[in-house]
Every structure is written in structure tokens, then in C-alpha cells.
Amino acid sequence: MIESERELSAMVQELWDNDVNRLRPGKDYRISLQGKAGDNMAINDDDNDGAGYPLFKFVDENIFQKETFLAFISLLDNYVSDTGEPEIVTPEEVAENHKFLDSIVKTPTMKIAHKYLVEKKLSPQDETQFKEQLYRIWFELYARRGSSRPDSSGFEHVFVGETRGGRTVIGFHNWIQLYLQEKLGHIDYKGYSVNANSPQPDENKHILALQFSWKNGIKPKGSIFIGVSPEFEFALYTLCFLSSPNERVKVQFSFYDVEIVCHHYNQKHIGTTYPVLLKYQKNT
């Protein structure tokens, strides 16, 4: 590991250790991995569906009453999923965005990330200015490929999900949105994804690659954290976006060797970001 990755790994471990709102697998939630997803990606192709049941068996929804979860969930219905459709942001939605940022900057994980970014001269020390920086990175609208009008944001792409041409799901790397959409009947979980080099998924681990359909589109392969808090993901991805010029950075923390993919959009916004599990650490 190069020095910058070692340093970032230590920071991510600290974020992980202080993610007090993380859910416990088997206790606060249970998932059912079932079979491996097929390679054929037709939406209604039952032969290639490796899972006859939903991914989530159970989630303790009392956790969704916690301040950051509540504020996060309120943002999920503020977006039009089709790319190319301009987003209209109402004053109420702007207020919800700010309320979410207000709630997460008070958490231990975001405080740790902020302190580190200030030390590296990558973020302003003043909390109000830091929130303005977060707003710009995550919530400012931009035109995604093929669109002439602002139709996307880092938050919408990563945490909510988008559709392109009505048939392909892009982004959508968040477990809370996945759970809520599955509960509404909008998600059909097709099974887990593995290749020759990736480890077998584990229902008691917090990272999963999977295939699913959403609305009328298919996500051939998505990768998500499961059970972590919104503030952990926000802190981790912001840290990677601001501190690493590379669009792929390797980190080691807890049981995981992970590559965080983080594509920049015009160097000002997050285009997409998600975890790729490389292997489990030996001490599992």
C-alpha cells in the first residue's frame, strides 16, 4: 500500500469505529443472498433471476427515526429519476438538504472527516463554510452526459439512483433506498454478483455486489455498503473525493480490503462513488 492509501485507511478505520448508528447484521437487519445473478440482463427473464425472494428479510425501522436517517430519507423523494429531465428544486427541498447537512456535521464520523480535511487544507474550518462546500459537492445540479440542462447531482446519482433511456439504472449505491424501494415493490433483486477474483458475499458483512431491476430499468451490477449510517457514507466519500486525485483508491478497514471508486465531475462535483470489495482481511 502506498503511503497516501495507508493514511486514508487509518482515517476510514476511525470513521468506521465511530459510526455509532451502524446497524448490526442479523440483529438490526437480515438479508437473504440466495443465488448468483445471471449474465443475461433482461428484466422479466426468470431463468436468469438468481433470487426468488427479496434481498431484505427484516430491518428494524426504529433506527430510521434517528435524526440523520430521518433527514436522509426525507431527501429520497425529491428527484426525477430520468436523466435528461431537468430537476426543479423547490425551496422546501433546499431546506431539507440543509437540514440533512446540519444533522450529519454533528455526528462523530463527520467531525472526524472535517478535522482531517481542515488539517490537510482541503476544507474550511468554519462549519458554515464546510456545509457550503458539502452542498456544492453533493447537491449542486449539473448536466449529466447527453443532457443540455441540469438534470443530476452527486447525491441523486449515488444515493437515490437514476435511469437512462428508461432501461438502464445508473448510480443507486445506497442500501436504505434499496430497502425502501424493495418494500414498495419497485425493486426486483436478481441475486448477488461475483467474478473470478471477488470474494463470496456474506450475509453478515457490510458490502455487497448485486444485480436488480428498478422501475423499468436494470442495474446489471451495483455495489453497496449495507447497514452503515448515511453519515458514514457521506464522510467516507467526501474524504475520498477531496483527498485523492485518483478516481480509484484502495483502503483497508475492519474486515475489508476495498477500492473506493470516486469519479469527479468537472472537479467540483461527485459524478459517482461506490465501494468495490477486493477481499476480506485475514482476521475475519
Side-chain angles (χ1 to χ4, degrees), residues 23 46 90 217 228 244 250:
L23 284 73
D46 290 336
T90 66
V228 299
S244 175
K250 288 188 173 68

Side-chain angles (χ1 to χ4, degrees), residues 19-133:
D19 187 17
V20 293
N21 288 329
R22 184 168 62 247
L23 284 73
R24 296 157 298 176
K27 198 157 194 167
D28 300 320
Y29 72 92
R30 277 194 299 278
I31 61 171
S32 172
L33 289 172
Q34 301 164 73
K36 180 176 177 289
D39 297 323
N40 191 336
M41 297 175 308
I43 287 189
N44 298 316
D45 185 355
D46 290 336
D47 293 338
N48 274 283
D49 195 333
Y53 300 97
L55 172 64
F56 287 94
K57 281 174 147 175
F58 157 78
V59 174
D60 180 356
E61 291 195 9
N62 290 325
I63 285 149
F64 293 166
Q65 295 307 308
K66 291 184 176 184
E67 188 183 1
T68 56
F69 284 82
L70 214 49
F72 176 80
I73 289 167
S74 76
L75 305 182
L76 296 177
D77 62 359
N78 290 353
Y79 296 92
V80 178
S81 65
D82 282 346
T83 55
E85 289 294 319
E87 293 291 346
I88 309 298
V89 184
T90 66
E92 291 79 11
E93 288 168 359
V94 171
E96 286 177 343
N97 292 343
H98 285 296
K99 188 177 179 183
F100 172 65
L101 292 178
D102 288 343
S103 72
I104 64 168
V105 294
K106 295 187 293 199
T107 63
T109 49
M110 277 309 282
K111 282 184 173 172
I112 290 162
H114 186 202
K115 181 171 178 283
Y116 176 79
L117 291 167
V118 170
E119 284 168 5
K120 294 288 181 186
K121 299 189 167 38
L122 295 168
S123 289
Q125 183 151 17
D126 177 77
E127 191 180 274
T128 302
Q129 290 178 343
F130 179 51
K131 283 189 284 193
E132 285 169 5
Q133 182 187 32

